[in-house]
Amino acid sequence: MRVLIVSDTHGRHGGLDRALQEAGNIDMLIHLGDVEGGETYIDAVADCEKHIIRGNNDFFSELPREEEFYIGSHKVFITHGHAYYVSLDPEYIREEGKARGAEIVMFGHTHRPFFEDDNGIIVLNPGSLSFPRQEGRKGSYMILEMDEDGGLEFSQKYLE
C-alpha cells in the first residue's frame, strides 16, 4: 500500500498536483487540514481512498476535525494539530494518540516537516505544500509504504 500524506495547501493546488505526479500510483491520500475549499478539487484529482480533515483556516467546513482509521493493522489518528498545541511541542498530541491506542499520529499546522518514532508511537507532520516554513522553504509531503507483512516505511519528500 502506498499513501500520500499532505497538509496545509491553503486552496493552492500547484504543489498538490506536483506531489501527486511525483508520488505516482497511490492507494490513499491523507490531507491534514487547511484545504481552504479544496476538497472538491482533491476529490477530482485523487482517484483513491481519501481522509481529509479541517484545519484552523477551514472556516465553515463540514470536514471532520479529526479522524481515526486503520492502514492495514495500524491504527492512525489524524488532526490538524492546532488544538493540541503542536506549535509548542508534539508531546500533547503524542499523548492523545497514545490514549486513543494509535500507532501513528499525523498532524499539520506548523508548516514544518516532523517525524519521530518514540516508544512505539510514530508522530509526523509532512510540512506544507504551499507555504513551507522550514529552512530552504521547499514544499513538502510524505510517502508511507506498507509492505505485505504490514511493515511501514516513511519517506520525507520535497518539491523540486
Side-chain angles (χ1 to χ4, degrees), residues 18 111-113 127-140 156-160:
R18 289 172 51 204
H111 294 222
R112 291 183 188 92
S128 172
L129 282 170
S130 299
F131 299 106
R133 293 181 182 155
Q134 77 280 2
E135 187 174 331
R137 305 257 185 204
K138 288 186 178 183
S140 61
Q156 180 68 57
K157 305 288 187 178
Y158 297 92
L159 298 176
E160 292 302 319

Side-chain angles (χ1 to χ4, degrees), residues 54-119:
R54 75 174 179 249
N56 60 304
N57 288 300
D58 293 320
F59 306 108
F60 311 112
S61 172
E62 293 185 18
L63 291 169
R65 188 174 75 94
E66 48 197 39
E67 189 178 346
E68 297 175 41
F69 57 94
Y70 285 86
I71 297 176
S73 64
H74 304 280
K75 187 171 183 183
V76 179
F77 167 54
I78 64 173
T79 186
H80 188 59
H82 61 290
Y84 295 94
Y85 312 107
V86 295
S87 294
L88 301 173
D89 190 326
E91 184 61 31
Y92 190 56
I93 198 167
R94 180 186 304 104
E95 290 303 314
E96 181 66 21
K98 185 177 181 179
R100 292 170 182 248
E103 294 175 59
I104 305 167
V105 177
M106 301 182 189
F107 68 94
H109 187 60
T110 66
H111 294 222
R112 291 183 188 92
F114 177 83
F115 184 90
E116 185 174 81
D117 187 348
D118 184 28
N119 295 324

